[in-house]
Amino acid sequence: MSPSADAAAPVPTSSPPLAPLVAAQLSYLLSHSKLPIRVGQIWSGCHNGRHSDRFTLSIPFCLDYVHWDFVYNALSPMVAPDVVFGQDDEGFQPLVDYADAGNDKSCLARWDYRDPRGLFALVHELRELYIECHKKQVAKVDDARVTFELSTVLTKEGIEVCMVPSADRPDEVKFAVPLLDVDFNFNKLVPGCPWRLPQKIHLQVIFPISRSSSYSSVPSAPRLKLISTSDLKSLFSVEDVKLPPWSNGMCLAEYLPALEESLNLLVVEASASIGARRRFIEALAPTFGRPIEADPIFCRRATVLSISGVFTFLVHFAIPLQFPKQQPILTLQSSQHCDADGAPIMSPPINDYPWSPRWDQAEMVERIYDFLADECQNFKKFCSDAITQQK
C-alpha cells in the first residue's frame, strides 16, 4: 500500500495501559502486519478503569486510510471485540452478511482470546471484505468507461477501487493500481536496507463519472498520479517520474505496460546511483580526510571537517538521488561562530560551483576542494559580519 492521508490521532498519554490480553493482540498486529497500520486513540470503556480496552486503528485502503474502532471489554477479555466502522461505511456490514448466509468462515467463529493472532486475522479479513465491498459499489456505477476499466484491470493483483463523492463536482471513481511485479522486492536493491514494511509504488487513477451508459463523446483523460510509500523516497522519488501521455480512447490495460517498463528502468538506475554516491563519498577521504559522518545505506549525506588557517568549519554534502546528473548541495557550518541563539552559523545552500557528471569521482572532489579554498574565505567573512551585527 502507499497511503497518503490523515495520520492517526496521537495516543493520549493519560490513558491507562491496555488490558494484557488486548495488548498482546495489538502488539502482534503491529509487529507482523505488512500494512502500515497506525494506532490512534486508546481509551477505557469504564470511568476510572484500571485498563484501557478499546482503540482506533487507521487502516490503509485505496491510497488513503479508514479509521475503525475496535472495542474490547476489559471485564470480559475472552470475548471478541466489536468493530465500529466509519461514518461513510453504513452499507458495510460484513459480519451481518456472514450470519445471514450461515457462513462460519469468519475468524470470529473460531475466536480464541489466548491466541495473539486474533486481531491480526480480524483486521486483515475485514480489510479484504471492505475492498470487495467497494469493488461491488463501483461496479454498479452507470458509466461505460468505468465498467470497461473494471472488466479489464481488476484481474491485476492488488488493485483497489472506491467512489470519490464530491459536493462541488461530479462523483469520481479512484483506482489504486500497484505497479511492478507483486513479488518485486525493493529491499533487495539496497544492502543493509532498514525497511520493515514492503515498499510499493501505485498509480492513482481518477475517472470522472459521466452517468451515461454509452460514450456520447470522447471521454476526458483521467487524472494520473504516482504515489509511493514514504520510506521509498530515500531511494527513488516518484515526483521525478514523467508519466507517459494518455491518448484519446486509451484504457488502463494499454497504459500500464509502457509505464511499468519505464519505471523498471528508472528503479534500476536509482539502485545503481547508490553505488555512484558511495564512490563519491569514498573519494572525499584522500582530499578532505575521512568523513566524520556519512549515510552508509543510501549514501545521501556526508560531512567533512575542514581547516583554512585558524578557521575551522564543517562541509555538509547533500547528494541528490539524480547524482551525478545533479551535483551535491554544499552547506558550510562554522565551528567557531554561533548566532544569538547559540546555534552554529551556517551558509546558504551552495550549488553554483564547477561540475560535470562526466568527471570521475576524484576530479569531482578536487574541483569542489579548489572551489572551497576561495569560498571558505567568503564564509569566514559572512560569519564575522553576523557576529558584528549581534553586538
Side-chain angles (χ1 to χ4, degrees):
M1 291 296 303
S2 331
S4 59
D6 351 315
V11 178
T13 56
S14 59
S15 300
L18 283 167
L21 290 174
V22 178
Q25 295 202 16
L26 180 58
S27 176
Y28 185 93
L29 169 69
L30 298 178
S31 59
H32 288 78
S33 177
K34 295 187 180 299
L35 300 172
I37 295 172
R38 302 171 178 173
V39 182
Q41 187 178 15
I42 296 177
W43 71 102
S44 172
C46 299
H47 184 62
N48 295 327
R50 181 182 174 188
H51 291 109
S52 295
D53 55 4
R54 48 204 67 190
F55 46 81
T56 300
L57 292 181
S58 296
I59 300 168
F61 167 70
C62 211
L63 305 179
D64 209 323
Y65 279 93
V66 292
H67 309 289
W68 297 343
D69 294 337
F70 288 78
V71 182
Y72 288 80
N73 186 341
L75 301 178
S76 301
M78 298 79 70
V79 179
D82 291 328
V83 184
V84 181
F85 302 111
Q87 283 184 328
D88 300 329
D89 298 329
E90 292 181 2
F92 180 54
Q93 298 179 321
L95 306 183
V96 173
D97 295 340
Y98 268 165
D100 291 345
N103 192 332
D104 64 351
K105 291 192 301 182
S106 172
C107 64
L108 291 176
R110 304 177 301 279
W111 186 264
D112 181 355
Y113 69 94
R114 296 163 298 188
D115 186 350
R117 298 172 295 178
L119 179 62
F120 175 95
L122 178 60
V123 167
H124 287 77
E125 175 184 310
L126 291 176
R127 184 177 178 278
E128 288 302 318
L129 292 171
Y130 192 75
I131 291 170
E132 292 305 315
C133 174
H134 278 270
K135 286 180 180 178
K136 291 176 182 178
Q137 287 182 5
V138 172
K140 296 176 183 177
V141 172
D142 181 22
D143 182 286
R145 175 164 67 168
V146 170
T147 301
F148 177 76
E149 294 289 1
L150 282 173
S151 67
T152 55
V153 301
L154 273 189
T155 53
K156 184 176 176 66
E157 186 176 346
I159 282 188
E160 297 174 12
V161 297
C162 69
M163 299 292 298
V164 184
S166 175
D168 55 355
R169 63 171 183 262
D171 288 350
E172 299 170 319
V173 172
K174 178 166 71 173
F175 285 65
V177 185
L179 300 175
L180 308 178
D181 295 336
V182 174
D183 57 353
F184 188 93
N185 190 344
F186 281 98
N187 296 45
K188 293 182 178 179
L189 297 178
V190 185
C193 178
W195 300 325
R196 185 182 71 82
L197 298 175
Q199 301 302 305
K200 300 291 183 183
I201 299 175
H202 283 78
L203 177 66
Q204 176 181 275
V205 188
I206 298 180
F207 291 101
I209 298 175
S210 66
R211 299 294 182 190
S212 172
S213 58
S214 61
Y215 291 125
S216 56
S217 60
V218 177
S220 59
R223 301 202 307 277
L224 305 171
K225 183 179 181 181
L226 283 180
I227 298 176
S228 73
T229 41
S230 57
D231 287 344
L232 192 58
K233 294 175 183 177
S234 300
L235 168 69
F236 178 75
S237 175
V238 295
E239 285 80 7
D240 297 327
V241 177
K242 184 177 180 180
L243 289 171
W246 182 282
S247 305
N248 287 340
M250 180 174 272
C251 67
L252 270 177
E254 296 173 306
Y255 185 82
L256 291 176
L259 173 60
E260 291 192 299
E261 182 179 356
S262 170
L263 206 55
N264 258 311
L265 293 174
L266 292 173
V267 168
V268 170
E269 287 181 9
S271 177
S273 180
I274 295 178
R277 296 195 295 270
R278 177 173 286 110
R279 290 189 293 274
F280 174 80
I281 292 175
E282 291 169 348
L284 293 173
T287 303
F288 284 93
R290 185 173 180 176
I292 60 174
E293 269 188 354
D295 170 10
I297 297 176
F298 300 103
C299 302
R300 298 287 309 281
R301 303 179 313 278
T303 299
V304 297
L305 178 65
S306 292
I307 300 174
S308 175
V310 295
F311 181 45
T312 305
F313 60 99
L314 300 176
V315 183
H316 301 287
F317 294 82
I319 311 173
L321 291 173
Q322 293 77 23
F323 179 89
K325 294 178 183 178
Q326 294 181 9
Q327 65 204 90
I329 296 174
L330 312 179
T331 304
L332 309 186
Q333 175 183 326
S334 175
S335 301
Q336 300 167 219
H337 304 82
C338 294
D339 61 19
D341 297 323
I345 295 178
M346 303 183 73
S347 72
I350 302 169
N351 64 353
D352 57 351
Y353 55 86
W355 181 263
S356 171
R358 293 183 294 276
W359 295 337
D360 61 27
Q361 277 79 1
E363 184 170 359
M364 292 174 181
V365 171
E366 288 171 4
R367 295 292 189 108
I368 292 174
Y369 184 87
D370 292 341
F371 168 80
L372 289 177
D374 295 327
E375 182 63 24
C376 72
Q377 300 305 317
N378 297 331
F379 178 55
K380 182 180 179 181
K381 183 177 184 303
F382 173 81
C383 293
S384 298
D385 292 344
I387 294 296
T388 301
Q389 292 173 10
Q390 294 175 26
K391 297 178 179 179

